Amino acid sequence: MGNVSATRHFGPLDKPAAPAQVILVGAGPGDPELLTLKAARVLAEAQLVLYDNLVSPQVLAMVAPDAQCIYVGKRSSHHSLPQEGIIELMLDFARAGRRVVRLKGGDPYVFGRGGEEAEALAHAGIAFEVIPGISAAQGAAASAGIPLTHRDHAARVVWVTGHLREGCEDGFDLDWPTLARPRQTLVIYMGLAALPVLSERLVDHGLSPLTPAAIIERATLPEQRTLCGTLVGLPALAASEAVRSPALIMVGEVVRLHPLLHAHAQQPLAVSG
Ligand code: SAH
C-alpha cells in the first residue's frame, strides 16, 4: 500500500464521557423561543449561571428560580470583569465541584470569546460541553427578512468582527479585498462603534457606495429595529437614529429583499429608513 493514512476520529468511544462540570450554553439572539431544547432544559435545571450582558432578560427568566445567577458581562463603558477574570471565576467554581452553566449570547463559538473559555477548560482538564445557539446573524436575517444567501444575489456570506483589535495593521483584523468582493453578503458583528471607518474602507476597496446595507438593532426582541440604506449612508443613519448596541450590520444586495420579506418575518416591528 502507498501512503494511505487513516484519520482517527476521537469521539465518545475513546474515553468515557465524564459528566460536564461546565456547560457553555448558547443563549441565542434574545427571543427565548429560539433557545435549543437542550439549552432550555439545562437552564431549567441550573444551579449556578454565569451570564453576559447579551443574554436577554427573557432568556434569563428561563433559569431555575433558585439558581445563583452571576453577571460577568461587559457593559459598553466599563468592564465588570476582564475576560481572564471570567475564566478564573468559571474555573474556581468548577474546581470547587460546582456545576457551572456559562450562558453566552448567540452561539458560544461565534465571536464573544467562547473559544478561549473552552480552551481554558480543556487545559485545566475540566469536563465541559457546548450547546450551540442561534447566532445573531441568523436571528437577525430571519427576523428582519434578509435571506443571507439568496442565490440571485449572493453566493457567499462572510461573518466578521468590526471590533478594533490592538496589534493589527490599521486596527482591524480584516482582509479588505476579500470583504469587498461582489455577490456576497457581509455580516459585521460589533461594528457599530467603527461603522464610519468600516464603511469608508469597504468603499476604498471597491464596494459601491450605493451597496444596500442595513443595521439590525436588538434582533429578535420586541424592540427590534431594522434600518436600511446604502453603505455610504449607513453611518449617518445610525447616528441620526441613535442606534445602540447590540446591533448587526449587513451589507449586500440581499438587503433589498427586506421591504418585501420583513412583513412576513418573525418580528413585524421593523422600521425602514
Ligand atoms: N456569540 C454571539 C456574538 C457575540 S459578539 C452570537 O453568536 O451572536 C457581540 C455582537 O453580536 C454584538 O456587538 C452585535 O453585533 C451582535 N449581536 C448579538 N446579539 C444581537 C442582537 N440581538 N441583535 C443584533 N446584534 C446582536
Side-chain angles (χ1 to χ4, degrees), residues 75-88:
R75 300 252 183 252
S76 50
S77 51
H78 80 278
H79 282 196
S80 59
L81 258 190
Q83 184 63 35
E84 302 70 38
I86 297 174
I87 289 177
E88 273 313 307

Side-chain angles (χ1 to χ4, degrees), residues 29-30 54 105-108 110-112 134-137 188-191 216-221 245-248:
L54 273 180
D107 182 272
V110 177
F111 301 118
I134 291 182
S135 193
I188 308 175
Y189 287 71
M190 297 173 274
I216 304 99
E217 179 188 54
R218 300 189 69 74
T220 81
L221 289 163
S245 185
L248 269 189

Side-chain angles (χ1 to χ4, degrees), residues 82-101:
Q83 184 63 35
E84 302 70 38
I86 297 174
I87 289 177
E88 273 313 307
L89 193 66
M90 182 176 74
L91 295 179
D92 286 350
F93 277 124
R95 287 186 181 121
R98 302 288 301 271
R99 191 164 190 253
V100 184
V101 171

